[in-house]
Amino acid sequence: MLDIPLLVRVHLDALMAAQIDMGVCDAIEQNRPVGKPTAMSAPHLPKVAGIDPAVPPPAHTSAPLPTAAVTATTAPGALIQDRLAGWVSDLTTLHELTERLSRTTTLDASLNELLRAGAGLVGARRGLVVLEPADGLGPAVTTGLGLAHADLGHIETVPRSATGYGRILDGLPDADGGSELVGAAGERGPDPRHREVAARLGYAASYALPLTTDAGGRLGAAVWLYDEPAEPDERRRHLIGLYLRQAAEHVARLLELDRARTRLATVTEELLPSRLPRVARVQLAARHRTGPRGGGDWYDALPLPEGALGLAVGSVTGSGPSAVAAMGRLRASLRAYAVMEGEDPVAVLSDLELLLRLTEPARSATALFAYCEPAQGKIVLAGAGHAPPLIVGERRTEFVETSLSAPLGMLACWEAPSVEIHPAAGETVLLYTDGLLHRTGEAMDRAFARLHAAAASVPKTARDDPDAVADHVLRTVLPDGLDASDGTEDVVLLAARFA
């Protein structure tokens, strides 16, 4: 081990193994000092990748200093120490960048971080990454750095065979990536569209690399754009190659997670009504969003004999595929019970309680079932541990007073009295799950107050349309929208307007 001050003490064998691809072993052998190396107070060579990510990268890469000139003016021992210090700086930078990337939890966030870190490593200012997995299962995503949405659109009009990243995505024989000049001197072929787009966006060169993994193959390609004719030097190319090797594995894991969430959301949507029924004197609208973990919130609307209508909402405990499957079974069972004895909501929920207790004793659920007779303007409903409906009209906005009851599966036998309400013509009844309240991030009493205020503020011009009522309530209660990244709860909102 070299006698180097503690601040930069590095095991020489480990560094040589880490940097063997950079061709430095021979240099160390040729310049091995006889005695102890001098202190590390000699001038250092310029560092390729700075350790301060806050410093903006240069617009292009300057040429490295000639090795012969450095050797002539620097003692052999000092040269080795400077190179060791440079390697430590580079490895530290890579460690910091990969740590920052590993903290990203979504696919979009990881691609943005990859672009920012890569721009600093290759000395570029702008770039884009195109995710296009070779297995064809998607998703196809394009993310830009320093490029507006319109700029990305212009780049997509360039034939893929005329760009380095396009050849990578198409798997062409020369698709190894690398530097590419856009001007006439560096063109691969007469493609005026590429020159036109480059002139419009103001870039003169690019550096493209594939995004691949050992197990999954090609995921996509990344390209960084230079404002002037330039290309990264050998050390920058080595660093970005090491970084992309780690970044591709992280992106592949997030890609699989994103696919799993998409499949789960698709299954959940398929278990819910594909369309709402048409019943005389009633207009229906529904909004549903599954959380990232996949939950068991559901809704239903089914026509019943003699012009009646059954409305139901519910929530199964837990998350993930098992909760989704349990939700599907519970909803299907409630539909059967509603057809047989829907005019008695208490009997419907009692049967559902017995089924849940016998078939899934470790699971509980909340549910609300309403038997509607639109011709008589009458609704009979019963709830099991569920939030009360909300009536929205021109003259009133109030919660329905339902009797308190435990959720399904919490008692040996469930039974609670039903409630009868009479919505006036033009009034809308809102049924919802508690995920809507939980997503506000407030205590339940404040969440209920917020929901009431949102329903009361529905404009008069929107009260004739249940879709408009539902959208207004959601926008007011959840200003960040249903797709907020921190929204882990399922949301269900079912609106029924009576004429």
Side-chain angles (χ1 to χ4, degrees):
M1 181 176 294
L2 295 177
D3 186 10
I4 302 175
L6 183 59
L7 181 62
V8 293
R9 185 167 302 221
V10 179
H11 195 285
L12 184 58
D13 293 337
L15 280 174
M16 287 194 297
Q19 301 293 334
I20 191 65
D21 293 335
M22 299 177 65
V24 298
C25 296
D26 294 338
I28 292 177
E29 291 295 334
Q30 294 173 5
N31 296 282
R32 184 184 300 276
V34 178
K36 293 184 177 181
T38 58
M40 295 184 63
S41 58
H44 299 303
L45 292 176
K47 303 300 185 295
V48 178
I51 62 174
D52 185 4
V55 178
H60 60 278
T61 306
S62 57
L65 294 176
T67 304
V70 175
T71 305
T73 59
T74 308
L79 177 62
I80 293 177
Q81 291 186 2
D82 282 341
R83 288 186 175 180
L84 289 176
W87 299 337
V88 170
S89 175
D90 293 343
L91 293 175
T92 301
T93 299
L94 285 175
H95 175 73
E96 292 175 352
L97 294 179
T98 53
E99 281 291 314
R100 189 184 306 168
L101 179 68
S102 66
R103 289 193 291 268
T104 59
T105 57
T106 64
L107 195 58
D108 289 340
S110 66
L111 296 179
N112 281 306
E113 176 59 32
L114 183 154
L115 279 174
R116 285 192 294 267
L121 290 176
V122 303
R125 187 171 62 89
R126 295 177 292 174
L128 68 149
V129 58
V130 181
L131 196 64
E132 195 174 293
D135 57 14
L137 299 179
V141 179
T142 301
T143 303
L145 173 68
L147 298 170
H149 184 72
D151 298 335
L152 295 176
H154 287 306
I155 294 176
E156 290 178 354
T157 63
V158 179
R160 290 171 63 141
S161 59
T163 63
Y165 80 92
R167 290 188 290 274
I168 293 174
L169 295 175
D170 289 338
L172 297 179
D174 61 343
D176 296 329
S179 301
E180 184 177 39
L181 296 176
V182 183
E187 270 191 299
R188 290 175 175 264
D191 189 87
R193 182 57 185 167
H194 195 186
R195 292 196 302 269
E196 179 183 349
V197 170
R200 176 189 287 267
L201 301 184
Y203 66 89
S206 65
Y207 184 68
L209 286 177
L211 195 63
T212 60
T213 63
D214 295 335
R218 189 192 74 239
L219 300 178
V223 57
W224 289 273
L225 307 177
Y226 294 91
D227 297 341
E228 301 174 5
E231 63 178 355
D233 57 31
E234 181 180 356
R235 177 171 282 183
R236 288 184 182 270
R237 292 195 296 270
H238 182 71
L239 288 176
I240 190 61
L242 293 176
Y243 177 73
L244 282 188
R245 191 181 309 167
Q246 300 297 322
E249 297 294 338
H250 182 69
V251 170
R253 289 190 291 269
L254 292 180
L255 177 63
E256 287 301 318
L257 181 60
D258 185 77
R259 287 176 173 177
R261 288 173 174 172
T262 301
R263 288 192 292 266
L264 189 59
T266 301
V267 171
T268 303
E269 294 295 333
E270 290 297 324
L271 290 174
L272 297 176
S274 57
R275 64 180 64 184
L276 295 172
R278 293 184 178 182
V279 178
R281 305 187 64 178
V282 179
Q283 294 175 280
L284 299 174
R287 299 292 183 269
H288 173 262
R289 189 56 47 90
T290 302
R293 296 192 297 266
D297 287 16
W298 54 276
Y299 70 94
D300 205 351
L302 66 156
L304 296 175
E306 300 180 359
L309 173 69
L311 300 176
V313 291
S315 177
V316 176
T317 56
S319 60
S322 63
V324 173
M327 176 269 288
R329 292 190 294 268
L330 198 68
R331 172 179 170 268
S333 301
L334 187 142
R335 290 176 69 92
Y337 297 146
V339 171
M340 293 186 296
E341 48 192 2
E343 67 279 358
D344 186 359
V346 172
V348 172
L349 294 185
S350 296
D351 292 342
L352 203 62
E353 156 70 25
L354 179 61
L355 177 71
L356 189 67
R357 183 158 45 89
L358 293 176
T359 59
E360 301 186 60
R363 194 182 297 276
S364 63
T366 66
L368 187 146
F369 177 72
Y371 180 78
C372 307
E373 297 179 276
Q376 286 75 35
K378 174 184 171 182
I379 299 177
V380 181
L381 59 89
H386 205 82
L390 181 61
I391 299 179
V392 182
E394 184 176 353
R395 297 184 178 180
R396 61 171 176 171
T397 300
E398 60 186 24
F399 290 102
V400 177
E401 294 185 6
T402 57
S403 58
L404 297 177
S405 65
L408 302 175
M410 298 293 289
L411 297 176
C413 180
W414 177 90
E415 186 170 338
S418 60
V419 176
E420 183 175 315
I421 60 176
H422 298 270
E427 290 185 332
T428 300
V429 178
L430 297 178
L431 309 181
Y432 53 93
T433 58
D434 56 3
L436 176 62
L437 304 173
H438 290 315
R439 279 216 189 185
T440 63
E442 299 179 341
M444 291 302 288
D445 56 343
R446 293 189 177 184
F448 275 115
R450 181 183 234 179
L451 176 59
H452 184 276
S457 65
V458 175
K460 292 183 179 181
T461 56
R463 289 179 179 173
D464 293 337
D465 184 2
D467 285 289
V469 172
D471 290 337
H472 175 86
V473 170
L474 288 176
R475 283 196 306 267
T476 308
V477 176
L478 304 176
D480 294 334
L482 289 174
D483 295 319
S485 59
D486 57 347
T488 59
E489 298 280 347
D490 288 10
V491 174
V492 164
L493 180 62
L494 180 61
R497 180 185 180 274
F498 291 83

